[in-house]
Amino acid sequence: AIGVRNLRLADQLKLEAVRRANLEQYHSPDVVEMLVNQSAELERSALGVREAEVTVLFSDICGFTRMSTQFKPAEIAFILNGYFDAMTNVIFAHKGSINKFIGDAIMGIYGAPVTHQNAAALAVQSAIEMLKALQLYLKNLDESKHFKIRVGINTGDVVVGNIGSSRRMEYTVLGDAVNTAQRLESVAPQNGILIGERTKQLVEGLFKFRDVGLLKLKGKEPTRAYEVLF
């Protein structure tokens, strides 16, 4: 009986280690700790599909297509892995989750699966710190491999949760607010940050901005945006 119990305990510990490792790929340490300490039923509830207001952050490397033709694949992979590692550390430090890497782009979410007092402020502070972390990272690279990034942030109501097939699920967010964040990133200045109207309302008084007026974003009505000054 003791042997059976020990085997069951060992299996349980292995499953928990796998579960933790899977969560750590996407969520900040405090979110992982909360989810691991919950029952499986509560975890499914926390990650289940629901509507919520979240803040979405997109960033990508300026001129990455051109850059990728100048270096060998192994060199590009080395540059990206180091860059993603630095950016992930910043996002996790500000309670964000990595939704996905899309080529050279990063999509992060704030306010889900765990809500925070001001997810929008955490996202904007993340963006500022990402640009600072980029400069530190580039110090370790040859100048010929230096690059700049753009960041776009938007807040709005989305569908959030585990979405996918019976064979593969992904924790993600869907909705117009996500598309707007990506569009803002695409027109942001190099090493700059653009945010949407709702994000600006939520962080009023915490950061300095420059109103850049109404922008014609691809596939959308003219959208008012603000550049974060730091």
Side-chain angles (χ1 to χ4, degrees), residues 144-180:
S144 65
K145 298 175 181 177
H146 285 195
F147 56 88
K148 297 178 181 180
I149 65 173
R150 297 184 178 91
V151 184
I153 299 172
N154 191 52
T155 304
D157 293 329
V158 299
V159 174
V160 56
N162 277 327
I163 297 172
S165 70
S166 59
R167 301 187 65 180
R168 185 179 187 278
M169 301 293 288
E170 178 183 64
Y171 188 82
T172 191
V173 292
L174 303 171
D176 184 63
V178 180
N179 299 330
T180 300

Side-chain angles (χ1 to χ4, degrees), residues 189-214:
Q190 294 188 358
N191 281 351
I193 307 163
L194 282 187
I195 65 174
E197 183 73 41
R198 177 59 178 159
T199 304
K200 189 256 187 183
Q201 292 172 357
L202 292 171
V203 300
E204 193 78 58
L206 300 177
F207 303 94
K208 295 180 179 180
F209 313 99
R210 180 177 70 86
D211 187 342
V212 297
L214 294 173

